[in-house]
Amino acid sequence: MARTVLDRSDVVRALAGVFRKRGFEAGSLSVIQQQTGVGRGSLYHFFPNGKTDMAAAVLQQVSDWFEDRIFTPLRLARNAGEAIEAMSREVAEYFTSRERVCLFAAMTLGEEQDTFADEVRSYFTDWVDALAAALRTGGLPPLEAADRAVDAVAAIQGGLILARAYGDDATFLGIVARTEQRLLAPTQ
Amino acid sequence: MARTVLDRSDVVRALAGVFRKRGFEAGSLSVIQQQTGVGRGSLYHFFPNGKTDMAAAVLQQVSDWFEDRIFTPLRLARNAGEAIEAMSREVAEYFTSRERVCLFAAMTLGEEQDTFADEVRSYFTDWVDALAAALRTGGLPPLEAADRAVDAVAAIQGGLILARAYGDDATFLGIVARTEQRLLAPTQ
DNA sequence: TCAAGTCTGTACCGAACAGTACAGACGGTT
DNA sequence: AACCGTCTGTACTGTTCGGTACAGACTTGA
């Protein structure tokens, strides 16, 4: 019977796609099965605890990506300006190529809220803290850096909502660009 | 059998609460029934087309509230500064007393995305346009006004995400306050 | 060649789902 | 007091859900 053999990370990637399009609740096993070609058997082989495991794996993968491509570079930045420009570039490309959906933001709604509350909080605090660190490296006083970092992450997340509402990337890209400008602006 | 008699707007209010807490998909009829005390019979009496009607009614009520309390005042403002301060105040109070959830933003996720795409787009464009109008009244050039309006709405919506992620209102209130400052700042 | 372990398709389970049918209860009108 | 339209509780439908069981197919190593 067994035909196509996949490894776990392929399945996680496919799951992420389904969850972005349909949401965690509505991403039913039948939909996953027909959308990804991965059967029930394989799914429960890779994720013995079912949908909770699947959600956890997807979030972990997203978290790893951001840690690697966004947070760590920001923390280790020697040139704050370049690091922030890089963040804008990476974030814009990441979300425009992924249905304009941040799965961690989606996790702040509905019932699943409680299940992954810690992971969600960590994702956002890590982002804000890493960005604030880069801003301090760039010479901003700590409180100003913290405020700007929070505002920037909020602007990006809100930009994703507007992008989905408008069905267009331009608004989101404009928001990201202006957010970058505000981050790089000198203290007044 | 009939015991408690409710009118439609009571039911809509109760529905909004359930949808904010659980989401549209997960807000099942059984949950609605036991959470609101409204039985299946009444529900399908008020909303013959089931959950779609319920969602539409809830969104309409939210839309009416914003039109009345936020959009119209912004459009008719003679003193832009006061209108924007009023918006901040109203928005902060509205969302902090409603689970920090914007139902229109929630509608940009999952399957329901398509069903109410027009209503969602209108909500956000109305908000952005009304705010931009107030900013023009305050003396900002049209393009600058438009950019600031988009950025402000995005910041507020992103602020709600952070508020839910952190489980605290302070971050959201800080974002709203700084957003107001940026809206009121003179052109540079 | 063959045994062990890994992976996959399918049939199945009870539970929960949205929606329907309908009888009975209530409030207003006459 | 009788009536009618509005409202409500309950029993029921077919469907879909997440999850389980398990046999068969494939890979691997000896």
Side-chain angles (χ1 to χ4, degrees):
Chain A
M1 285 181 192
R3 269 194 278 174
T4 48
V5 178
L6 306 154
D7 69 353
R8 204 183 132 104
S9 73
D10 287 332
V11 179
V12 174
R13 228 184 314 278
L15 280 174
V18 173
F19 289 152
R20 269 184 262 263
K21 266 219 172 70
R22 314 252 177 169
F24 278 94
E25 316 249 359
S28 66
L29 295 209
S30 342
V31 169
I32 292 170
Q33 186 163 353
Q34 75 176 72
Q35 197 90 4
T36 66
V38 184
R40 261 179 159 65
S42 313
L43 245 19
Y44 277 88
H45 171 73
F46 288 120
F47 310 100
N49 289 345
K51 286 191 85 181
T52 311
D53 272 6
M54 299 180 206
V58 167
L59 289 181
Q60 187 60 53
Q61 189 201 249
V62 173
S63 174
D64 288 347
W65 189 94
F66 273 82
E67 186 59 45
D68 185 45
R69 304 283 289 264
I70 311 278
F71 305 163
T72 300
L74 281 173
R75 283 194 209 103
L76 304 179
R78 312 206 57 206
N79 181 326
E82 280 178 16
I84 284 165
E85 283 169 23
M87 180 191 87
S88 298
R89 227 182 304 122
E90 293 275 11
V91 164
E93 204 271 334
Y94 180 88
F95 286 117
T96 51
S97 65
R98 284 175 180 79
E99 315 275 341
R100 310 172 197 123
V101 170
C102 174
L103 287 171
F104 279 97
M107 274 303 190
T108 63
L109 290 166
E111 299 202 288
E112 56 267 22
Q113 210 168 343
D114 301 321
T115 317
F116 297 104
D118 293 343
E119 288 82 352
V120 169
R121 185 171 24 241
S122 292
Y123 169 82
F124 285 109
T125 54
D126 285 354
W127 192 348
V128 169
D129 290 349
L131 181 51
L135 291 171
R136 288 195 304 273
T137 302
L140 248 51
L143 271 74
E144 172 75 14
D147 282 348
R148 285 203 200 183
V150 169
D151 288 354
V153 173
I156 291 168
Q157 290 292 334
L160 290 171
I161 292 174
L162 289 180
R164 296 195 299 269
Y166 289 176
D168 109 58
D169 286 333
T171 308
F172 173 64
L173 295 175
I175 289 170
V176 171
R178 288 190 297 278
T179 299
E180 182 188 322
Q181 283 179 352
R182 279 199 300 276
L183 286 172
L184 297 174
T187 326
Q188 13 227 20
Chain B
M1 286 182 192
R3 267 194 282 174
T4 48
V5 178
L6 305 155
D7 69 354
R8 203 184 132 103
S9 72
D10 288 332
V11 179
V12 173
R13 228 185 315 277
L15 281 174
V18 174
F19 288 153
R20 269 185 262 263
K21 265 219 174 70
R22 313 251 179 171
F24 278 95
E25 316 250 0
S28 67
L29 295 210
S30 342
V31 169
I32 291 170
Q33 187 163 352
Q34 73 175 77
Q35 198 89 6
T36 66
V38 184
R40 260 178 159 66
S42 314
L43 246 19
Y44 277 89
H45 171 74
F46 288 120
F47 311 100
N49 289 345
K51 285 191 86 180
T52 311
D53 273 5
M54 298 179 206
V58 168
L59 289 180
Q60 186 60 54
Q61 190 201 246
V62 173
S63 175
D64 288 346
W65 189 94
F66 273 83
E67 185 59 46
D68 185 44
R69 303 285 288 266
I70 311 277
F71 305 163
T72 300
L74 282 173
R75 284 194 208 101
L76 303 179
R78 312 206 57 204
N79 182 326
E82 280 178 16
I84 284 166
E85 283 169 23
M87 179 190 88
S88 298
R89 227 182 306 121
E90 292 275 12
V91 164
E93 204 270 333
Y94 179 89
F95 285 117
T96 51
S97 65
R98 283 174 180 80
E99 314 276 339
R100 311 171 195 124
V101 170
C102 173
L103 287 171
F104 279 97
M107 274 301 189
T108 64
L109 290 167
E111 298 201 289
E112 55 266 25
Q113 209 168 342
D114 301 322
T115 316
F116 297 103
D118 293 343
E119 288 82 352
V120 170
R121 185 169 24 241
S122 293
Y123 170 82
F124 286 109
T125 55
D126 285 353
W127 193 349
V128 169
D129 290 349
L131 182 52
L135 290 171
R136 288 195 303 273
T137 303
L140 248 51
L143 271 74
E144 173 75 13
D147 281 349
R148 285 201 200 184
V150 168
D151 289 354
V153 173
I156 291 168
Q157 290 293 332
L160 290 171
I161 293 175
L162 289 181
R164 296 195 299 269
Y166 290 177
D168 105 61
D169 285 335
T171 308
F172 173 64
L173 295 174
I175 289 171
V176 170
R178 287 191 297 277
T179 299
E180 182 188 321
Q181 283 181 352
R182 279 199 299 275
L183 286 172
L184 297 174
T187 326
Q188 11 227 19

